[in-house]
């Protein structure tokens, strides 16, 4: 498990080093434009690290943090993307695009998830259908 975490960290560093495209997703903000333009049917890999607190409580916050895969043990209801972990990382293409799940790592290409069929700016946020104001933390994508 430790080797897998090390490999994932290396992969993240390699992606940031080679692509120079990275963005912080603040957990208490609505859709955030990354400034990255997705081209329809072109492969894209999206990786993320970090932690968010989905129920901010100053006295007990260390127990509520989780990563970009969201609240795995919790119900998948209550988020914007159905059947995807609540408080996980999600995205959409363009302001009016259909939200899709990302989590810690997603590849949109042949052999991975279906290539994205739309072109436009990539927007990201936390999969939270309720109030974002009680969230704390961010993801590096």
């Amino acid at each position: 498990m430790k080797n897998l975490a090390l490999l994932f960290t290396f992969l993240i560093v390699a992606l940031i080093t080679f692509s120079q495209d990275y963005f912080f997703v603040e957990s208490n903000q609505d859709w955030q434009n990354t400034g990255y333009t997705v081209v329809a049917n072109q492969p894209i890999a999206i990786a993320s690290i970090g932690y968010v607190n989905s129920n901010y409580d100053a006295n007990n916050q260390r127990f509520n943090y989780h990563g970009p895969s969201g609240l795995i043990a919790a119900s998948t209801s209550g988020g914007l993307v159905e059947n995807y972990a609540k408080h996980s990382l999600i995205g959409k293409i363009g302001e009016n695009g259909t939200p899709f799940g990302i989590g810690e790592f997603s590849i949109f290409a042949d052999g991975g998830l279906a290539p994205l069929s739309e072109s436009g700016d990539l927007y990201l946020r936390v999969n939270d259908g309720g109030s974002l104001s009680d969230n704390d933390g961010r993801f590096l994508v």
Side-chain angles (χ1 to χ4, degrees), residues 6 37 47 52 70 73-74 91 96 99 115-116:
L6 183 61
T37 301
V52 300
N96 300 316
L116 299 172

Side-chain angles (χ1 to χ4, degrees), residues 71-140:
L71 296 167
I72 302 301
S75 167
T76 56
S77 63
L80 297 177
V81 177
E82 290 291 324
N83 299 319
Y84 207 73
K86 190 173 181 183
H87 301 114
S88 59
L89 180 66
I90 60 173
K92 69 179 181 177
I93 307 302
E95 288 187 50
N96 300 316
T98 302
F100 55 88
I102 297 173
E104 287 183 19
F105 186 73
S106 293
I107 298 175
F108 298 93
D110 294 336
L113 300 173
L116 299 172
S117 60
E118 302 171 15
S119 293
D121 288 343
L122 175 64
Y123 286 79
L124 299 173
R125 70 167 279 174
V126 173
N127 192 23
D128 187 343
S131 172
L132 295 170
S133 64
D134 63 351
N135 293 343
D136 179 47
R138 62 185 179 176
F139 298 133
L140 171 64

